[in-house]
Structure formats: C-alpha cells, structure tokens
C-alpha cells in the first residue's frame, strides 16, 4: 500500500501546519492510521493515531491539546492538524497504516509514507 503524504514545511513557533495522507488505491477505512515522527537522535514517536473503526483516537502527551488527527472518509484522507507548534515538534513526520484494528506502537504499522519535514523555529 502506497501512502501519499502532503503538507509540512517551516513555521515560526506558535504557528500551524496541516498534514494529510491518503492510501493510493485503497480506502482509508480499511486501516488503522497514524502519524509518527522522528527527530534527529530520537526514537520514533506516534503523535496521533486513529483506529480502523475511527472510534479510538490517541495522542502523545507532548502534543495533546495542540494536535488533532481526523479521518475524512469522503475524501479518503487522514489529516493531522498541528497548532501552537514548538521547536521541539521539529521532525520528519510519517503517515503510517496498519492492518490491525488498533495500533498502539509505531512498529505495529505495516505501511509507511515517504516522510515530510516539519521545522519550527523560535
């Protein structure tokens, strides 16, 4: 499954960015979806995850209240809205999809997008 990710870029601290992702040729409701980030020298971290049913959503503690993950079934996309961005949010962000109904760890995802850079300057 190819995941096509869009968005990312560079913003000032306190700014906002929107990432979107679509599974090419497949419906987004067939997967548990998530956004995983990796900063230089750090481990990968799930920042937002949504179950295959769409009923379970979770966030990393570091982004709660600032990031929102959502799924648009009509547009077949998963979106990560990032607000009040901080320099520590700087990382490569990956869209990921899993065949399981719910993925709780980043290594539980089966398919990965190409990654998009998010840079937040102070």
């Amino acid at each position: 499954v190819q995941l096509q990710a869009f968005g990312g870029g560079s913003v000032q601290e306190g700014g906002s960015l929107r990432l979107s992702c679509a599974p090419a040729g497949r419906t987004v409701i067939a997967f548990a979806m998530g956004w995983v980030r990796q900063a230089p020298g750090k481990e990968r971290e799930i920042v937002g995850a949504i179950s295959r049913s769409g009923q379970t959503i979770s966030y990393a503690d570091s982004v709660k209240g600032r990031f929102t993950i959502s799924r648009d079934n009509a547009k077949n996309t998963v979106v990560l809205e990032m607000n009040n961005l901080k320099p520590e949010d700087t990382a490569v962000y990956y869209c990921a999809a899993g065949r399981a109904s719910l993925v709780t760890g980043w290594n539980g995802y089966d398919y990965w997008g190409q990654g998009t850079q998010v840079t937040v300057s102070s």
Side-chain angles (χ1 to χ4, degrees), residues 22-103:
R26 302 288 296 274
T27 56
V28 69
I29 61 174
F31 304 99
M33 302 293 296
W35 288 94
V36 178
R37 70 183 180 187
Q38 186 166 27
K42 294 188 177 181
E43 292 189 358
R44 290 192 177 190
E45 172 189 36
I46 296 180
V47 293
I50 185 167
S51 64
R52 189 168 61 203
S53 69
Q55 294 182 343
T56 302
I57 292 176
S58 61
Y59 299 96
D61 288 341
S62 57
V63 307
K64 281 181 181 176
R66 300 188 297 119
F67 289 15
T68 302
I69 187 171
S70 62
R71 190 174 73 186
D72 187 330
N73 295 343
K75 294 183 179 179
N76 201 41
T77 59
V78 173
V79 173
L80 185 69
E81 299 277 3
M82 304 183 292
N83 298 310
N84 191 21
L85 282 160
K86 303 177 180 181
E88 51 264 41
D89 295 318
T90 296
V92 177
Y93 285 70
Y94 298 90
C95 175
R99 296 188 300 268
S101 59
L102 177 66
V103 175

Side-chain angles (χ1 to χ4, degrees), residues 10-21:
S10 298
V11 294
Q12 294 276 342
E13 184 174 8
S16 299
L17 285 173
R18 184 177 188 268
L19 305 180
S20 62
C21 174

